[in-house]
Amino acid sequence: LAKTTQPISMDSYEGQEVNITCSHNNIATNDYITWYQQFPSQGPRFIIQGYKTKVTNEVASLFIPADRKSSTLSLPRVSLSDTAVYYCLVGGKAAGNKLTFGGGTRVLVKP
Amino acid sequence: KAGVTQTPRYLIKTRGQQVTLSCSPISGHRSVSWYQQTPGQGLQFLFEYFSETQRNKGNFPGRFSGRQFSNSRSEMNVSTLELGDSALYLCASSFGTGGINEQYFGPGTRLTVT
């Protein structure tokens, strides 16, 4: 399973764009990149998933360069309610693969 | 569609006792995974069940066990509780098996062992 490295914490202000970069140097050909968000005392919530290039949904964008050794989660115009821990996960979809969470990035949005 | 439900939400047990936690997945989901979350170790995978069969297991001692019923509901059991078992236990369901498939997490059961 590919190991991921992401910053421990980040601070931002309301209305700004937050970009969290995750390194996954040994990503395998069949691996996908997925991001989850977790609020205190709640279960993680799926944000976005991608394989290559760029993926965008209603809450975030995911940028993946051609070599796929890193990825960047972009949260546009954050609000106080975006304060949470964000996890980057890398893995395959085949049976037998398990979801492995790293330490995550604690994002604090200030007023 | 109702989300993943876990019962009970909070539990206090004494060392040496055993505990059973329950998880009801989203309707139609056949995979249920269990995780332990602690401040020191973070989120750790316990096991996954799909169609009543354990498909994957994490690195936890045999005191941690689980099962899945024909309606996809799952239970997790921890025997001979230790202080270190105090944690938030989360279950997640997904339509298919395989880790990176989108998983829907429940609110968790907060277990405190005294």
Side-chain angles (χ1 to χ4, degrees), chain A residues 36 38 49 92 96-97 99, chain B residues 35 37 56-57 99-100 103 105:
Chain A
Y36 280 80
Q38 186 179 27
Q49 183 179 84
N97 286 295
L99 211 57
Chain B
Y35 299 83
Q37 186 169 32
N56 218 331
K57 191 176 189 303
I100 209 70
Q103 297 200 15
F105 283 79

Side-chain angles (χ1 to χ4, degrees), chain A residues 30 32-34 36 38 41-46 49 87 89-102, chain B residues 9 35 37 42-45 48 55-59 88 90 97-108 110:
Chain A
N30 295 330
Y32 286 74
I33 300 155
T34 306
Y36 280 80
Q38 186 179 27
S41 297
Q42 292 186 28
R45 182 177 74 104
F46 174 92
Q49 183 179 84
Y87 295 95
L89 293 90
V90 173
K93 292 190 175 185
N97 286 295
K98 50 188 177 185
L99 211 57
T100 301
F101 286 82
Chain B
R9 292 294 312 279
Y35 299 83
Q37 186 169 32
L43 261 163
Q44 295 187 87
F45 173 80
E48 179 198 2
R55 290 299 182 96
N56 218 331
K57 191 176 189 303
N59 298 320
L88 180 67
L90 294 158
T97 184
I100 209 70
N101 288 302
E102 182 176 349
Q103 297 200 15
Y104 296 80
F105 283 79
R110 173 78 60 187

Side-chain angles (χ1 to χ4, degrees), chain A residues 5 10 14 23 28 33 39 43 48 50 81 85 89 105 110:
Chain A
T5 303
M10 298 178 70
E14 281 191 292
S23 297
I33 300 155
F39 299 113
I48 197 166
S81 63
V85 178
L89 293 90
T105 298
K110 303 175 183 177

Side-chain angles (χ1 to χ4, degrees), chain A:
Chain A
L1 208 64
K3 178 179 168 55
T4 60
T5 303
Q6 51 184 124
I8 293 174
S9 64
M10 298 178 70
D11 287 358
S12 184
Y13 291 91
E14 281 191 292
Q16 288 189 335
E17 179 180 79
V18 171
N19 295 304
I20 309 171
T21 296
C22 177
S23 297
H24 28 80
N25 291 319
N26 59 338
I27 188 169
T29 303
N30 295 330
D31 285 347
Y32 286 74
I33 300 155
T34 306
W35 287 80
Y36 280 80
Q37 173 194 55
Q38 186 179 27
F39 299 113
S41 297
Q42 292 186 28
R45 182 177 74 104
F46 174 92
I47 301 176
I48 197 166
Q49 183 179 84
Y51 183 80
K52 61 180 179 180
T53 63
K54 176 183 174 182
V55 180
T56 298
N57 62 23
E58 63 276 6
V59 299
S61 293
L62 178 59
F63 299 91
I64 306 169
D67 66 6
R68 305 203 322 127
K69 293 184 183 300
S70 68
S71 58
T72 299
L73 175 72
S74 180
L75 305 171
R77 297 181 300 281
V78 293
S79 64
L80 297 177
S81 63
D82 292 316
T83 293
V85 178
Y86 293 82
Y87 295 95
C88 166
L89 293 90
V90 173
K93 292 190 175 185
N97 286 295
K98 50 188 177 185
L99 211 57
T100 301
F101 286 82
T105 298
R106 190 172 300 274
V107 173
L108 174 62
V109 180
K110 303 175 183 177

